Amino acid sequence: MSIVKVYNVIGIMSGTSMDGIDCSYIKTDGVNFVSIINENSYKYSQNYRNKLKKIIKYLNNIKSLKEKQHIKKFENIVTNKFIQVINKFIKDYKIKHSSIDYIGISGQTVLHDPKHKKTIQLGSCKKIQKKLQIKIVGNFRKNDIKNGGQGAPIGAFYHQYILNNYSSKSAIINLGGIANICYCYKKKLIAFDLGPANVLIDDLMHHFYKKNYDKNGNKALKGKLDKKLIDFYKKDIFFKLNYPKSLDREYFKKYFNQLKKLKSNNAIHTASMMTIVCIDLGLKLIKKKINELIITGGGRKNLFLINVLKKQFKNKGINIVLIDNLNFNGDLLEAQAFAYLAVRCVRKLPLSLPTTTGVKKPTLGGILYK
């Protein structure tokens, strides 16, 4: 009987919320074993967040891929930030370079266009590897798209690991900038994007209050629902698509201009209810009995969202549980996932399936830089 090797890996994640870089140092075999050693989040300055927003706006306004060749001028901004944060994390926790087998990096997503099979993550793994002199695993989406997938959501195998060790009738919902779901049924792994989670709420908070998020959902709690706008939103073509499906953080921006015409708290309340609606519509696509929704991501701290979810799904016999109650840090789950995926890449294990990203068959992913 062969013994499966366990690796020491740092996972790095900067999500669609663009609030910072998450770092998680774990031991894992990429399948059945995960042990968390150290982890932390490093928040972005408002100045850096604004830079990222400008980059995203710029790239989403460019029509042809040829013109997007000048994304290279943005690459160094993100690459240098990753190097700075990784060095700080290693120093903060006194991690010896020699003890790190790999660093798994999800670059900063600045464009995701599943319809045209295009996705852009900034952050040069090659330059990071050269600077740190540690093996890097990155570019997790490239092979998926090459094989007919959408490139997202890409972390489903890690969510499956958690579900397999917890409950067969539960699903994990990640409330980042975009909401996504992962569910296992008789060894069938299903994952897809649901709709906006924090992206509209955060942008409205910045527009009205120059704040990055609605703390505890306090503004939403004071607002009222714009039923006409919610009814219009429910008819969006995205919700009619079957899974697998994925989203760019800009897709639902078309509602932002309508939301900002409302009174501030009404806009934030309505945007928050858009998150609830997209979860409800997504669950209807699965058509299986789910007893529990495990909530992770920054949105789990929004008490308004969580309380509405608990109230709404209690009537459907679905319990709402925070991932933190399972001894996982909900702020760092995705960083853990990219450490886990890095080992799957090295071990030549699939990262995506027809039911998670739409690839034609189970597909390997990631590129090793050494």
Side-chain angles (χ1 to χ4, degrees):
M1 185 177 171
S2 61
I3 297 171
V4 176
K5 186 175 177 181
V6 172
Y7 298 87
N8 295 333
V9 193
I10 297 176
I12 307 294
M13 172 66 178
S14 178
T16 50
S17 289
M18 297 188 303
D19 50 357
I21 293 177
D22 302 327
C23 306
S24 185
Y25 185 37
I26 71 173
K27 287 181 179 290
T28 183
D29 65 354
V31 182
N32 298 315
F33 177 80
V34 173
S35 177
I36 296 158
I37 306 168
N38 304 114
E39 48 188 9
N40 203 354
S41 290
Y42 296 88
K43 298 299 178 189
Y44 288 149
S45 67
Q46 190 58 53
N47 182 46
Y48 186 76
R49 281 172 64 101
N50 291 340
K51 273 186 190 176
L52 285 180
K53 285 183 178 180
K54 283 178 183 175
I55 291 168
I56 288 168
K57 187 176 180 181
Y58 178 78
L59 289 174
N60 277 271
N61 286 334
I62 292 173
K63 300 299 178 189
S64 77
L65 254 186
K66 283 182 181 176
E67 289 173 278
K68 290 187 186 117
Q69 294 307 315
H70 45 275
I71 63 164
K72 293 295 176 187
K73 67 182 180 183
F74 303 126
E75 186 92 69
N76 283 338
I77 296 170
V78 176
T79 300
N80 291 337
K81 178 61 73 175
F82 272 97
I83 292 168
Q84 177 195 338
V85 169
I86 293 167
N87 273 327
K88 180 165 174 51
F89 178 67
I90 290 171
K91 186 179 176 183
D92 286 351
Y93 292 96
K94 299 179 174 65
I95 304 167
K96 289 181 181 177
H97 276 65
S98 58
S99 69
I100 305 165
D101 293 308
Y102 303 100
I103 299 177
I105 295 179
S106 170
Q108 177 66 59
T109 301
V110 290
L111 186 141
H112 183 68
D113 182 1
K115 187 178 177 182
H116 298 102
K117 306 289 185 185
K118 296 171 192 169
T119 188
I120 298 172
Q121 284 79 41
L122 294 183
S124 168
C125 293
K126 192 174 180 181
K127 288 180 181 177
I128 296 169
Q129 192 283 322
K130 191 174 179 182
K131 185 74 175 176
L132 300 178
Q133 292 296 299
I134 300 169
K135 292 173 186 172
I136 304 288
V137 182
N139 262 316
F140 289 99
R141 303 172 194 267
K142 188 175 181 179
N143 201 43
D144 181 89
I145 289 174
K146 188 179 172 183
N147 285 276
Q150 296 187 16
I154 205 74
F157 274 96
Y158 186 59
H159 292 166
Q160 182 186 38
Y161 159 79
I162 295 169
L163 291 170
N164 284 346
N165 286 276
Y166 179 66
S167 167
S168 61
K169 289 191 176 178
S170 299
I172 291 178
I173 290 181
N174 177 35
L175 297 180
I178 296 296
N180 58 58
I181 188 167
C182 180
Y183 175 67
C184 301
Y185 175 73
K186 291 183 178 178
K187 295 188 177 179
K188 182 181 181 182
L189 179 60
I190 295 167
F192 58 96
D193 284 349
L194 295 164
N198 304 318
V199 62
L200 289 173
I201 302 167
D202 292 353
D203 286 353
L204 288 165
M205 283 298 296
H206 190 259
H207 174 75
F208 287 118
Y209 298 107
K210 296 294 180 276
K211 301 281 185 186
N212 288 331
Y213 61 94
D214 184 12
K215 189 174 183 181
N216 295 325
N218 290 334
K219 301 296 185 188
L221 188 62
K222 295 172 186 173
K224 293 180 181 178
L225 184 71
D226 188 296
K227 192 173 182 305
K228 189 176 177 182
L229 185 50
I230 278 283
D231 288 342
F232 177 64
Y233 165 82
K234 285 178 182 177
K235 293 172 185 171
D236 193 287
I237 188 68
F238 178 80
F239 300 125
K240 294 178 173 64
L241 299 174
N242 199 4
Y243 62 82
K245 55 182 177 176
S246 61
L247 284 165
D248 183 73
R249 80 183 303 279
E250 299 294 291
Y251 177 85
F252 282 97
K253 277 291 187 72
K254 55 193 171 188
Y255 298 101
F256 178 75
N257 290 332
Q258 294 160 292
L259 284 162
K260 70 182 184 183
K261 291 174 186 174
L262 307 177
K263 289 182 180 177
S264 58
N265 291 346
N266 293 351
I268 293 158
H269 178 98
T270 303
S272 301
M273 291 306 296
M274 286 177 169
T275 301
I276 304 294
V277 166
C278 81
I279 293 170
D280 189 41
L281 293 174
L283 288 178
K284 286 173 182 172
L285 290 178
I286 292 177
K287 298 171 185 172
K288 300 292 180 190
K289 176 63 177 169
I290 294 174
N291 294 335
E292 206 157 58
L293 294 178
I294 302 165
I295 310 297
T296 185
R300 78 194 192 290
K301 295 178 180 176
N302 185 317
L303 297 182
F304 175 80
L305 284 181
I306 297 304
N307 288 334
V308 172
L309 279 172
K310 284 180 176 178
K311 186 177 179 182
Q312 187 159 317
F313 288 102
K314 186 179 180 182
N315 300 330
K316 300 177 182 183
I318 299 174
N319 193 27
I320 303 296
V321 177
L322 300 187
I323 192 82
D324 309 74
N325 295 337
L326 310 185
N327 295 319
F328 287 91
N329 186 326
D331 290 330
L332 294 154
L333 202 76
E334 301 307 296
Q336 295 161 22
F338 281 99
Y340 183 87
L341 293 182
V343 174
R344 292 187 69 85
C345 168
V346 171
R347 291 187 59 193
K348 306 293 184 191
L349 297 169
L351 300 193
S352 49
L353 302 170
T355 50
T356 63
T357 64
V359 283
K360 294 165 188 171
K361 61 182 181 180
T363 300
L364 307 181
I367 297 171
L368 175 61
Y369 298 82
K370 60 181 181 177

